[in-house]
């Protein structure tokens, strides 16, 4: 079998250099790029995508709009898959959308597409969702709390870009979807195959199928809320604190305080709590939380995933942190996230310098192995130390690495 050329991160979005995009648009404002991926072809047609909604292990949703004279007052129906095959014979001729989640775990070509967007922090990448719609098909005017790239696969879709939104933005009541009741159109685009629309978090958008063979691929990026971070992290810390660790009054306690909670007490407790939220503890929580699988992995694929050398399986998420107590070896540093060369003799014998997180678990490895794993660089065990090889074997046993 001929080796497949590794997919590399994009350097340009259309004619726009990635660095210019990151400086001027990322998390700032929407951007529509004509022919952003001019040579890209959608790996699956609408019928093949729709067939995935029949599978028990594939997360899918069917959304049907009952239109009104005022489109902001439409009624919406939501059905979760798997769908019975006969359901497709009863669908209306227009104004419905079928959504397929985690397509990158199902379709090798979709998984390759995901790699191209790793010019952004790898741990932010979520998944690829496919949207299939006839004319009029839509999920309604809405906003998301995450950044998203919308790549047109087949057919065409008309997009409207609206206002900046928040949790205070009015939504339809008694609706299974978070549909906005107000929409201030600020830009409109007609997306055709290869066109790409970037939408920052909290920006309203509304995409409507303009042809009967409209498929759109959505590349989303995780963005945990600070309320979730504080809740989960504090619970994680509290679960490991002994019941013997309790409040004690400060020394030289004044007499006759009565019911007063003194500022000294407040500051003492606040300082004690702050001391638990160390950078190391936050990094450990982030690594585990952001690599956890958010949905069950599909047990169906549309083709064979590339297994040259040892590269992560499609349902594996990984990230790493550099251990602050171990200095980087010569010529090795944070820049290694761009490093794809095999490790040299100066790196293979180094002590563990990174914490690697895979699907919510953590390991200690060399920084070189951590970088190679998270860059989908070929991992050849003979280039690594005995300690690293022991970890590699654990990853193989867990099913995290593909065997060649």
């Amino acid at each position: 079998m001929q080796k497949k050329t590794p997919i590399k991160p994009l350097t340009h979005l259309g004619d726009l250099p990635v660095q210019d995009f990151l400086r001027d648009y990322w998390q700032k404002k929407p951007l529509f790029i004509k022919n952003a991926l001019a040579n890209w072809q959608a790996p699956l047609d609408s019928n093949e995508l729709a067939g995935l909604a029949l599978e028990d292990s594939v997360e899918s949703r069917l959304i049907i709009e009952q239109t009104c004279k005022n489109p902001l007052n439409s009624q919406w129906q939501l059905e979760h898959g798997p769908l019975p095959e006969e359901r497709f014979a009863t669908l209306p001729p227009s104004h419905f959308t079928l959504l397929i989640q985690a397509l990158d775990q199902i379709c090798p070509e979709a998984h390759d597409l995901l790699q191209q967007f790793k010019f952004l922090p790898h741990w932010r990448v979520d998944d690829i969702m496919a949207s299939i719609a006839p004319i009029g098909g839509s999920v309604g005017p809405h906003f998301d709390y995450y950044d998203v790239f919308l790549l047109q696969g087949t057919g065409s879709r008309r997009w409207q870009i609206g206002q900046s939104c928040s949790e205070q933005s009015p939504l339809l009541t008694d609706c299974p979807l978070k549909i906005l009741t107000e929409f201030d159109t600020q830009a409109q685009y007609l997306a055709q195959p290869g066109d790409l629309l970037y939408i920052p978090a909290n920006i309203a958008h509304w995409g409507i199928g303009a042809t009967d063979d409209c498929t759109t691929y959505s590349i989303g990026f995780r963005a945990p809320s600070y309320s979730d971070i504080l809740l989960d992290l504090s619970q994680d810390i509290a679960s490991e604190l002994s019941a013997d660790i309790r409040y004690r009054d400060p020394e030289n306690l004044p007499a006759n305080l009565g019911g007063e909670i003194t500022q000294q007490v407040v500051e003492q407790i606040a300082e004690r709590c702050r001391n638990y939220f160390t950078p190391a503890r936050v990094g450990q929580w982030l690594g585990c939380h952001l690599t956890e699988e958010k949905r069950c992995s599909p047990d169906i694929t549309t083709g064979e995933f590339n297994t040259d050398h040892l590269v992560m399986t499609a349902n594996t998420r990984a990230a790493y942190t550099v251990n602050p107590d171990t200095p980087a070896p010569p010529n090795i540093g944070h820049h290694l996230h761009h490093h794809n060369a095999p490790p040299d003799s100066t790196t293979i014998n180094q002590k563990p310098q990174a914490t690697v997180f895979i699907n919510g678990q953590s390991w200690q490895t060399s920084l070189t192995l951590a970088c190679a794993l998270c860059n989908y660089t070929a991992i050849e065990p003979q280039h690594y130390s005995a300690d690293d090889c022991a970890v590699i074997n654990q990853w193989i046993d867990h099913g995290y690495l593909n065997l060649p």
Side-chain angles (χ1 to χ4, degrees):
M1 180 184 296
Q2 185 178 5
K3 288 186 178 181
K4 186 176 180 181
T5 302
I7 300 297
K8 297 181 179 180
L10 292 171
T11 59
H12 287 70
L13 297 171
D15 294 329
L16 181 69
V18 160
Q19 289 301 324
D20 291 356
F21 167 78
L22 294 174
R23 182 192 64 220
D24 298 333
Y25 294 95
W26 179 245
Q27 297 185 325
K28 297 181 180 71
K29 55 186 178 181
L31 177 66
F32 180 72
I33 307 173
K34 197 72 178 171
N35 292 319
L37 279 72
N39 298 321
W40 182 77
Q41 291 185 340
L44 302 174
D45 62 29
S46 56
N47 288 331
E48 291 170 322
L49 288 169
L52 294 174
L54 308 177
E55 302 293 334
D56 290 338
S57 65
V58 175
E59 183 180 339
S60 59
R61 289 169 289 164
L62 174 64
I63 297 170
I64 299 176
E65 178 185 8
Q66 297 177 354
T67 60
C68 295
K69 186 174 182 180
N70 181 352
L72 290 171
N73 292 331
S74 291
Q75 299 296 308
W76 299 87
Q77 175 185 337
L78 172 64
E79 299 176 31
H80 290 277
L83 301 175
E85 188 170 358
E86 56 270 19
R87 179 68 178 94
F88 289 95
T90 62
L91 291 176
S94 65
H95 293 84
F96 73 85
T97 294
L98 184 63
L99 303 176
I100 306 294
Q101 293 285 165
L103 190 65
D104 50 292
Q105 297 185 33
I106 300 170
C107 175
E109 293 83 1
H111 187 267
D112 289 344
L113 175 65
L114 197 62
Q115 309 316 306
Q116 293 189 286
F117 287 88
K118 288 192 172 179
F119 57 83
L120 293 159
H122 295 194
W123 53 267
R124 286 286 312 277
V125 177
D126 188 2
D127 75 336
I128 293 181
M129 180 185 73
S131 171
I132 310 105
I135 291 176
S138 173
V139 297
H142 68 285
F143 73 97
D144 302 305
Y145 283 116
Y146 52 83
D147 298 271
V148 64
F149 292 93
L150 299 157
L151 176 62
Q152 192 63 23
T154 62
S156 58
R157 184 182 295 272
R158 191 169 301 280
W159 287 101
Q160 298 177 64
I161 310 301
Q163 70 278 14
S164 179
C165 299
S166 71
E167 64 177 356
Q168 304 300 322
S169 299
L171 303 175
L172 278 179
T173 58
D174 300 322
C175 179
L177 304 170
K178 294 183 178 180
I179 304 294
L180 292 165
T181 59
E182 299 175 359
F183 196 91
D184 179 15
T185 301
Q186 300 180 12
Q188 297 189 60
Y189 306 101
L190 180 65
Q192 296 176 317
D195 295 348
L196 186 69
L197 176 62
Y198 164 66
I199 305 289
N202 296 89
I203 298 297
H205 50 288
W206 191 354
I208 301 174
T211 61
D212 276 333
D213 60 342
C214 175
T215 62
T216 305
Y217 292 74
S218 170
I219 300 98
F221 292 78
R222 298 182 180 188
S225 69
Y226 276 98
S227 63
D228 287 342
I229 291 174
L230 287 171
L231 178 62
D232 291 353
L233 181 55
S234 60
Q235 288 180 336
D236 187 49
I237 292 172
S239 69
E240 297 183 8
L241 293 181
S242 167
D244 296 332
I245 302 176
R246 292 183 176 266
Y247 166 79
R248 291 179 62 85
D249 285 321
E251 294 184 8
N252 303 317
L253 185 70
N256 303 318
L257 285 174
E260 180 186 1
I261 300 174
T262 66
Q263 188 65 26
Q264 183 183 12
V265 167
V266 172
E267 291 175 358
Q268 173 183 306
I269 293 176
E271 179 64 20
R272 186 66 180 266
C273 289
R274 280 194 295 269
N275 289 339
Y276 290 122
F277 287 80
T278 64
R281 193 57 187 262
V282 173
Q284 178 75 21
W285 180 87
L286 279 172
C288 291
H289 178 80
L290 293 173
T291 61
E292 283 180 341
E293 292 185 274
K294 300 302 182 183
R295 54 180 63 90
C296 294
S297 298
D299 58 13
I300 182 175
T301 62
T302 62
E304 185 176 348
F305 284 87
N306 177 36
T307 58
D308 290 341
H309 303 286
L310 293 173
V311 184
M312 281 189 291
T313 51
N315 64 340
T316 299
R317 301 193 177 281
Y320 70 90
T321 57
V322 179
N323 294 350
D325 55 342
T326 53
N331 301 319
I332 301 294
H334 291 283
H335 64 278
L336 259 183
H337 66 279
H338 296 301
H339 181 64
N340 290 321
D344 59 32
S345 59
T346 66
T347 67
I348 59 176
N349 294 318
Q350 293 293 328
K351 293 180 180 180
Q353 298 172 56
T355 303
V356 175
F357 304 92
I358 304 180
N359 288 13
Q361 301 181 68
S362 64
W363 287 265
Q364 297 299 309
T365 76
S366 68
L367 180 57
T368 304
L369 177 57
C371 293
L373 177 79
C374 293
N375 277 306
Y376 291 82
T377 302
I379 296 174
E380 299 177 353
Q382 66 269 24
H383 291 306
Y384 294 92
S385 68
D387 288 340
D388 276 352
C389 284
V391 173
I392 291 170
N393 287 330
Q394 291 183 44
W395 293 344
I396 294 173
D397 291 341
H398 282 79
Y400 296 153
L401 293 183
N402 277 320
L403 294 174

